[in-house]
Amino acid sequence: QVQLVESGGGLVQAGGSLRLSCVASGRFFSINRMGWYRQAPGKQRELVAIITNTGNTNYADSVKGRFTISRDNAKNTMYLQMNSLKPEDTAAYYCNALISVPSIGSQDYWGQGTQVTVSS
């Protein structure tokens, strides 16, 4: 069974930094695109950043220039470096990946989420 596990969330003051990690484990052939999403209380889940298996990236306008997404394919791990954090970045952050699984094909998987809280 494929699992995505996030870590690195926490409480930080405005202007501070955090680094999120997402590790994929289980039995699979390959990981295609990966991405970070976030959901604040009372709001819809939104895309933060995505990265393809070749390293192409795309960011939400609200985080451009502050957040950096990266991945280490050898470790099946994705990262989100978050700098210059703002109170409006407060949300639960979720890892998402499109993974090729034996006998199933490509499927979307989600992590359980990690909370990021930015105080003003």
Side-chain angles (χ1 to χ4, degrees):
Q1 183 156 353
V2 176
Q3 280 191 316
L4 298 177
V5 178
E6 303 103 330
S7 61
L11 173 63
V12 65
Q13 288 188 331
S17 299
L18 283 174
R19 189 192 195 206
L20 305 183
S21 299
C22 171
V23 181
S25 63
R27 189 164 171 260
F28 52 86
F29 290 132
S30 62
I31 304 175
N32 300 309
R33 56 145 173 81
M34 302 183 80
W36 290 99
Y37 291 73
R38 66 187 181 186
Q39 187 168 18
K43 293 188 177 181
Q44 287 190 330
R45 189 172 296 189
E46 63 175 2
L47 174 68
V48 176
I50 56 173
I51 184 167
T52 68
N53 56 354
T54 57
N56 293 320
T57 60
N58 196 19
Y59 296 89
D61 287 343
S62 59
V63 306
K64 280 181 182 176
R66 300 188 298 122
F67 291 9
T68 302
I69 189 171
S70 61
R71 62 192 283 176
D72 184 336
N73 291 332
K75 295 181 179 179
N76 297 323
T77 302
M78 174 179 64
Y79 305 97
L80 185 67
Q81 178 66 44
M82 304 185 294
N83 299 328
S84 302
L85 282 161
K86 305 175 181 180
E88 50 264 44
D89 294 318
T90 295
Y93 283 70
Y94 296 90
C95 169
N96 170 262
L98 183 65
I99 299 177
S100 179
V101 181
S103 303
I104 296 177
S106 293
Q107 264 197 316
D108 253 333
Y109 290 87
W110 290 89
Q112 81 289 350
T114 185
Q115 180 67 35
V116 172
T117 303
V118 184
S119 62
S120 57

